[in-house]
Amino acid sequence: NAGVTQTPKFRVLKTGQSMTLLCAQDMNHEYMYWYRQDPGMGLRLIHYSVGEGTTAKGEVPDGYNVSRLKKQNFLLGLESAAPSQTSVYFCASSDPPSAADEQYFGPGTRLTVT
Amino acid sequence: AQSVTQPDIHITVSEGASLELRCNYSYGATPYLFWYVQSPGQGLQLLLKYFSGDTLVQGIKGFEAEFKRSQSSFNLRKPSVHWSDAAEYFCAVGARTNAGKSTFGDGTTLTVKP
């Protein structure tokens, strides 16, 4: 199993450009999450999904949109990138009924917005 | 609301010395508690978790943690640190009733001196 994979690994955007980050998991997990990690601030939850076709806002959702059209994929979109969105983005998945909230993380996407 | 505090931003220990990383949490009921480790440029990996039962839990890589309800703490320990333990460590609190969402501390960076 590949676990949780993220595409791309690195990206540089100019202010105002858009992009989509892809997260895929092959563990048949119900729940998926998008976090951003900034120095000294730990991980902050952007959006999450508790199942195919459902999404919900997390702690810092502004400027981001998400979609979960397939159970194994969770997409994070930036419609108009801003320098404040320069960060490392992590996707995670979990399957609470069996694993009680343990989250499995992808390797991250480092995004720079200039 | 749940919250996690990791009082130490950065800790330096000598190789072979013992280690204790502190974690304090706030949660209204019995929490699910986790410690994750993040090596440079990598995603987070679960070290250990506590849900119920024995308050001393063993994890991977020789780590253990003790849940102390009276102190709202879940400190991570290792009796003898190896150079490969240098990484960032995150404590997290979760709840199955909260869509599996976890709240992460800001992290503690561990440096290991030779």
Side-chain angles (χ1 to χ4, degrees):
Chain A
N1 289 350
V4 180
T5 58
Q6 293 182 232
T7 309
K9 289 185 169 53
F10 303 93
R11 186 72 186 268
V12 178
L13 287 179
K14 294 184 178 179
T15 297
Q17 288 184 321
S18 64
M19 78 163 293
T20 300
L21 282 66
L22 171 64
C23 175
Q25 53 96 2
D26 61 3
M27 296 172 284
N28 202 35
H29 285 173
E30 286 292 334
Y31 293 11
M32 296 186 75
Y33 313 85
W34 274 108
Y35 294 92
R36 59 177 290 172
Q37 183 180 34
D38 302 292
M41 300 185 74
L43 277 79
R44 293 182 290 169
L45 183 65
I46 304 172
H47 286 280
Y48 65 99
S49 168
V50 298
E52 181 178 316
T54 72
T55 63
K57 294 180 180 180
E59 181 186 357
V60 289
D62 294 342
Y64 305 95
N65 57 74
V66 288
S67 65
R68 184 106 180 263
L69 299 179
K70 293 183 179 181
K71 185 177 183 178
Q72 63 268 32
N73 295 338
F74 194 29
L75 278 64
L76 177 71
L78 286 72
E79 291 186 346
S80 179
S84 61
Q85 294 177 304
T86 293
S87 188
V88 181
Y89 292 86
F90 287 99
C91 176
S93 69
S94 71
D95 198 29
S98 62
D101 301 335
E102 171 183 344
Q103 295 189 14
Y104 294 79
F105 284 82
T109 294
R110 186 174 295 275
L111 174 65
T112 301
V113 183
T114 62
Chain B
Q2 57 199 49
S3 66
V4 176
T5 301
Q6 294 180 244
D8 304 305
I9 296 173
H10 194 178
I11 283 184
T12 300
V13 300
S14 297
E15 190 168 15
S18 63
L19 171 70
E20 182 169 32
L21 301 182
R22 296 183 291 165
C23 172
N24 293 100
Y25 69 90
S26 173
Y27 186 67
T30 300
Y32 294 165
L33 294 162
F34 309 87
W35 275 101
Y36 291 86
V37 61
Q38 184 183 30
S39 298
Q42 303 295 316
L44 279 69
Q45 179 186 18
L46 182 73
L47 279 176
L48 48 78
K49 58 189 176 186
Y50 170 79
F51 300 143
S52 64
D54 193 346
T55 56
L56 184 64
V57 293
Q58 303 296 321
I60 62 171
K61 305 184 181 186
F63 285 92
E64 67 178 25
E66 186 171 14
F67 170 60
K68 292 185 178 180
R69 184 188 300 277
S70 61
Q71 299 178 18
S72 297
S73 69
F74 189 56
N75 294 349
L76 182 70
R77 301 193 294 249
K78 187 170 185 179
S80 178
V81 170
H82 187 263
W83 64 266
S84 60
D85 293 325
E88 190 159 18
Y89 292 80
F90 292 93
C91 181
V93 60
R96 184 171 296 178
T97 57
N98 195 21
K101 292 184 290 181
S102 290
T103 299
F104 290 80
D106 290 343
T108 297
T109 300
L110 173 65
T111 298
V112 180
K113 295 190 302 183

